[in-house]
Amino acid sequence: MSSTQHTPADGHFHPHLRPRRLRRTEALRRMVQETTLTPADFILPLFVRHGQDVQQPIRSMPGQFQWSPDKAAAEARAAWQMGIPAVLLFGIPESKDALGTENYAPNGIIPATIRAIKDAVPELIVISDMCFCEYTDHGHCGIINHAGDPHYTPRLPEGYLLNDATLELLARASIVHAEAGADIIAPSGMLDGMVGAIRAGLDASGLDHVIVMSYAAKFASGFYGPFREAAESPPQFGDRSGYQMDPANGREALKEVALDVAEGADIVMVKPALPYLDVLSAVRQAVSLPVAAYQVSGEYAMIHAAAANGWIGLERCALETLTSIKRAGADMIMTYFAKDAVRWISG
Ligand code: PBG
């Protein structure tokens, strides 16, 4: 006869083995906690537009705004004072055109904002999201093959996003943003070769200290909806599935990450975050570089919307998602909750 007793409910229950012992009190739970959020985990995205003293609410993203450079600098300073090490900038240009020219204009919205932020908080890490969708009149992430346009390539399909012609412009814009003071260039267009082209362009301009953080595994996601309102960048025809990844593909994400590592990425990102925690975890295991995750606009909006209805708790659910993202392997999280999260975890 064995000395262990078995319950009728579970023939395998062993009364000595009780994991609940470690959960009994708040202090015990704190002691055994595996994943702890800190302010240094967060990167705050900011939308910036021309003007002065502008703080325009974004309807689908409660608590988020489009800022003019002066107000963005004040917001960046507030984030820095809370312990948040970095901001990520998205620009809304004065005007849009087929080639997204404001993205590489030295006095464009992003260089102007970078200078304002660096004046106000020199140590804050400034990340420039490097993509053309905010700057092009068609809303795609680069130059479109269009009969009659200067880059028209008859052998390629009409409407095709021209990869290599766009790479040249990405490198050019990256140099402009880096010269304005960006510490990190974060290409987000999912073009082939974007990391290598930007790395080569920066190095050729004596900007070898500038970091490339690649949106390496970026999926064609419905969760970018609110962002397209915030950045005024919806595609005017078609969608982005010709360059962003199919949400169904996990192995392909590892291929994309490996290519970006080979091209010289310093940090790789998975985006969105919550629906792709499996990908995040696999990337974490596959590479030794720092890994970032982007909790995107729709993830933020859905938590806010459910909380506004009283269906879930805002703070609890936001922190639960951020903890899960870190647990899955993120070393840093771009999140619109950054400032709230710091308040919550230190409150
Ligand atoms: C592209 C870009 C997008 C986001 C970040 N960079 C939009 C897109 O790919 O359509 C989305 C971020 C978010 O939804 O919060 N420049």
Side-chain angles (χ1 to χ4, degrees):
M1 283 292 288
S2 135
S3 63
T4 53
Q5 301 155 8
H6 296 276
T7 64
D10 181 350
H12 299 288
F13 176 64
H14 191 298
H16 300 313
L17 302 180
R18 293 182 184 273
R20 283 185 52 198
R21 279 182 200 120
L22 293 175
R23 301 181 200 133
R24 191 173 52 82
T25 70
E26 155 68 20
L28 282 166
R29 292 193 291 271
R30 213 156 20 97
M31 188 175 74
V32 301
Q33 184 169 84
E34 298 174 31
T35 307
T36 307
L37 294 169
T38 80
D41 294 327
F42 305 126
I43 295 170
L44 176 67
L46 296 175
F47 299 97
V48 294
R49 62 181 310 140
H50 291 280
Q52 260 228 300
D53 207 27
V54 178
Q55 179 179 350
Q56 192 171 310
I58 299 163
R59 207 179 36 88
S60 52
M61 299 174 69
Q64 302 300 309
F65 303 88
Q66 294 178 343
W67 311 92
S68 51
D70 55 322
K71 297 281 277 187
E75 181 69 359
R77 188 206 305 272
W80 175 254
Q81 285 168 347
M82 297 173 77
I84 294 168
V87 294
L88 170 67
L89 301 182
F90 296 98
I92 297 130
E94 196 78 70
S95 64
K96 302 180 188 237
D97 55 39
L99 299 180
T101 49
E102 191 176 322
N103 197 16
Y104 39 92
N107 289 315
I109 181 63
I110 291 297
T113 304
I114 294 170
R115 286 189 289 266
I117 292 176
K118 283 289 174 183
D119 272 352
V121 243
E123 291 155 285
L124 177 75
I125 300 160
V126 177
I127 308 173
S128 177
D129 178 272
M130 178 49 61
C131 193
F132 274 93
C133 59
E134 296 107 288
Y135 300 92
T136 52
D137 49 13
H138 45 69
H140 282 284
C141 298
I143 304 172
I144 292 295
N145 201 35
H146 185 52
D149 283 357
H151 292 84
Y152 182 57
T153 312
R155 293 176 66 96
L156 293 171
E158 171 76 22
Y160 182 69
L161 181 74
L162 290 171
N163 197 86
D164 300 9
T166 302
L167 293 184
E168 279 175 46
L169 295 184
L170 283 171
R172 185 166 158 192
S174 298
I175 294 164
V176 169
H177 296 198
E179 282 174 341
D183 301 287
I184 301 183
I185 303 294
S188 64
M190 287 303 282
L191 275 82
D192 296 335
M194 64 183 186
V195 171
I198 289 170
R199 185 71 272 159
L202 292 170
D203 292 353
S205 305
L207 296 162
D208 48 66
H209 65 293
V210 175
I211 292 164
V212 178
M213 171 196 272
S214 180
Y215 286 70
K218 175 172 176 180
F219 290 87
S221 173
F223 288 99
Y224 306 148
F227 175 93
R228 292 176 186 172
E229 178 201 334
E232 303 182 8
S233 64
Q236 298 304 305
F237 64 90
D239 60 26
R240 304 205 204 291
S241 45
Y243 36 103
Q244 297 180 350
M245 287 184 51
D246 183 340
N249 294 0
R251 289 191 307 269
E252 189 184 359
L254 294 178
K255 179 178 80 179
E256 284 283 0
V257 167
L259 288 172
D260 286 1
V261 172
E263 288 175 31
D266 300 290
I267 301 171
V268 290
M269 194 198 300
V270 174
K271 174 185 176 187
L274 201 59
Y276 299 92
L277 293 185
D278 57 330
V279 174
L280 181 57
S281 171
V283 169
R284 171 67 292 162
Q285 283 167 43
V287 305
S288 54
L289 299 181
V291 176
Y294 198 139
Q295 181 178 57
V296 302
S297 57
E299 298 179 68
Y300 177 81
M302 71 179 175
I303 293 171
H304 262 286
N309 277 291
W311 298 334
I312 64 175
L314 183 70
E315 170 178 341
R316 182 170 176 188
C317 288
L319 288 179
E320 184 175 334
T321 58
L322 293 167
T323 302
S324 303
I325 294 164
K326 185 168 181 183
R327 190 196 63 231
D331 298 296
M332 61 202 90
I333 307 170
M334 355 290 275
T335 174
Y336 304 97
F337 285 118
K339 286 174 66 198
D340 292 326
V342 173
R343 264 183 236 112
W344 293 329
I345 62 182
S346 48

